[in-house]
Amino acid sequence: MMNDEDIKEYHNIGKKSGLKKSNKYNYMQGKQITDHETGKRVYEIDKYRLPSVTTILGATKNTEFLTKWKAKVGEQEADRIKNVSSARGTCMHKFLEHYVLGTGCVDLTSVGQEARPMADKIIEIGLAPVEEYYASEVTLHYPGLYAGQTDLICNHNGMETVVDFKQANRPKREEWIEDYFMQIAAYAMAHDYVYGSKIEQGVIMVCTPDLYYQEFKVEGPELRSWKHKFLKRLDMYHELIHDEKEKTTPMKAEEFNDRPDEMGNRPGSSKK
């Protein structure tokens, strides 16, 4: 049971933000919706519907490891772990967003009390080098290609940076988080294209429930490499969507009747 002092402390979360707001960029607004035809998450921007970065990466990733893990722990346990992690991650993001914006945030649930120290650890270590921020939880898009919502665009150690916050059940290795790097790269490309910026760096800030903090940085040639890798996945995604449409589009009767038979003759033509 929390006493009055504990509750007061929770109400003060984020009210003493060390982040300075910069209005360098005038960000466009986007709306996240679910496409009724595909059931996939898309962003509606300027009357166009664009697939989300996470949808693109999710549809094209190698799921072999995930399949083996589910077989090992069981479908029910896998779903439980996934749901707990998702709720904790959402809550941690909420605390961090309110910290950046300088607004209070209270969550006295068990999930909130677990996520709060994780957010504090990221604030203490990860956000310490941030001199100013341009946007928090902002929608970015690359016209005609994709869109997504990134956690933070800021000046980190003198470099314009895309920051992504992640929770993890255990410490990560770089080879396990390739999709995180591609996600960062996709947001950097979109930001540079639409706003004429030069994003120099991506930083992934990870914290586990036992408060183990990790940071993964990518910049320069390495960042360009991840951009190319994301574009390859984007091509794969469009190929998959094209194949799905072909499978689900019924053939018209006239198309069927106009097809040649095994001998190469079309309906109504005389055989030679």
Side-chain angles (χ1 to χ4, degrees), residues 138-205:
V138 65
T139 298
L140 301 175
H141 77 292
Y142 199 110
L145 294 181
Y146 61 85
Q149 187 167 289
T150 191
D151 296 330
L152 188 67
I153 306 292
C154 64
N155 185 310
H156 181 285
N157 272 333
M159 292 189 284
E160 292 198 346
T161 302
V162 176
V163 173
D164 209 19
F165 305 129
K166 301 290 187 184
Q167 80 86 38
N169 292 323
R170 58 174 175 156
K172 298 289 189 182
R173 295 180 184 174
E174 284 197 19
E175 59 266 30
W176 296 348
I177 59 169
E178 291 190 349
D179 279 13
Y180 293 176
F181 291 124
M182 280 183 263
Q183 189 176 9
I184 284 275
Y187 294 149
M189 276 193 293
H191 198 283
D192 287 349
Y193 185 87
V194 173
Y195 301 108
S197 59
K198 292 184 179 178
I199 298 293
E200 303 167 90
Q201 179 181 234
V203 179
I204 301 163
M205 301 178 182

Side-chain angles (χ1 to χ4, degrees), residues 95-110:
F95 280 127
L96 289 166
E97 181 184 6
H98 280 285
Y99 170 80
V100 170
L101 298 177
T103 55
C105 179
V106 177
D107 189 336
L108 302 181
T109 66
S110 59

Side-chain angles (χ1 to χ4, degrees), residues 121-136:
K121 181 62 70 172
I122 290 177
I123 291 168
E124 176 191 351
I125 303 175
L127 296 183
V130 175
E131 299 166 16
E132 60 182 9
Y133 80 97
Y134 308 119
S136 171

Side-chain angles (χ1 to χ4, degrees), residues 5 24 55 66 74 80-81 87-88 102-103 108 155 190 215 249:
E5 286 299 317
K24 183 174 182 178
T55 293
L66 185 60
R80 187 195 68 80
I81 294 172
R88 187 169 54 221
T103 55
L108 302 181
N155 185 310
E215 191 168 278
T249 303

